[in-house]
Amino acid sequence: VKRTIQAPLWLTDDQAFKERVAQGMAAASGRSPEEAARSVLLGNVDEVKAQVKAYQGAGVEEIYCAQWPRTHIESLRRFSEEIIPEFA
């Protein structure tokens, strides 16, 4: 049995976009923007790598990346090229 999570992914260098995502997730979940941002993979490459490392440290073996909306395919491409190789 593997420990698996599903997390929305927004890999971005745009701080304003990151804040909009956190606000939207907060509104959808009834949590603060800070709490909402901790429940998703959100940020630049270094921030998302740190989030993945934290999940790995907690015993997570697989992460299913959700795309909301699916048009953020660039996040997924960057994730596969810039983050996955560090954990492969």
Side-chain angles (χ1 to χ4, degrees):
V1 175
K2 290 186 177 185
R3 184 171 289 172
T4 304
I5 64 162
Q6 179 178 348
L9 168 67
W10 288 280
L11 184 57
T12 182
D13 297 313
D14 182 339
Q15 184 62 31
F17 178 77
K18 182 179 162 183
E19 291 171 9
R20 285 192 309 273
V21 169
Q23 289 289 334
M25 294 299 292
S29 65
R31 295 180 283 177
S32 73
E34 295 78 18
E35 290 172 320
R38 285 193 302 269
S39 69
V40 300
L41 296 172
L42 173 63
N44 62 35
V45 170
D46 291 335
E47 291 168 323
V48 172
K49 279 183 183 179
Q51 292 166 331
V52 172
K53 284 180 185 175
Y55 282 126
Q56 186 180 44
V60 171
E61 298 175 74
E62 295 177 326
I63 299 175
Y64 289 117
C65 296
Q67 293 286 274
W68 297 332
R70 297 192 193 295
T71 57
H72 291 286
I73 194 73
E74 182 65 13
S75 288
L76 192 55
R77 184 195 62 74
R78 288 186 65 200
F79 187 82
S80 67
E81 292 175 358
E82 300 176 47
I83 296 175
I84 289 175
E86 185 167 320
F87 298 93

